Amino acid sequence: RPGNVNVFENEFVQFYLNEKALYDAFYFRYKKILDAGGRNIFQLHNALVPIQNYFTLKIKSDYFITDTSKAVILRSYGAKKDYVKAVFEKGWYKAKFREFGNFQLLQDNTPPSITPIGFYEGMNAAKLTRIVFSVKDNTEEIEKFTATLNGKWLRFTNDKGRNFVYKFDELCGPGQHELVVTAVDQVGNTTTKTYTFTR
């Protein structure tokens, strides 16, 4: 109900909504189902009910997570998926959300992938005007992308998609170069790739 603190808790899931979170009253629906691997998915109503601010969701793990720093909570509804890093606290994993949907606690051990586009190891890049890398992660969240050229930081821009772009400038003159690129996801999984090329 709007204007009230609304609390939901059981042995697996806990959250509360503050008094400003809802516009209208509704009948909350909850269901616990299992995925193909037998792990819990918690259906917390649906994403059609608007929530006006973030709420903290706590989930108790139903399987052994070997590294609590790698825990994420997946929220899905329809085709949309959101992965949020979870913090372990007193036996519960918690993260903040602003929508209802289906929630599942997972361990993310998969590092991001870094794929060059039109560029490769040992290339003569004299005819190129830029270097582009496609960076992807299984949780769709890249926390950090860094690049160094001959040991010095190099600025890449992001095209608001999955690509990171460096347009050649005075920092990359004629000769041989070493480019090191690193991508880190939200739980710290890291991929580093090194390329040598000439201009």
Side-chain angles (χ1 to χ4, degrees), residues 70-124:
K70 304 290 187 185
V72 296
I73 296 177
L74 165 63
R75 188 201 75 88
S76 61
Y77 189 75
K80 186 178 179 184
K81 293 183 178 181
D82 301 311
Y83 294 84
V84 178
K85 178 178 171 55
V87 175
F88 184 69
E89 182 180 88
K90 298 178 181 178
W92 295 80
Y93 292 86
K94 66 178 186 177
K96 291 188 175 183
F97 296 90
R98 198 174 168 177
E99 292 180 288
F100 287 141
N102 302 329
F103 295 85
Q104 184 175 28
L105 179 66
L106 302 169
Q107 180 170 317
D108 176 21
N109 293 316
T110 305
S113 66
I114 300 174
T115 306
I117 299 174
F119 174 76
Y120 53 87
E121 164 64 22
M123 180 180 192
N124 183 337

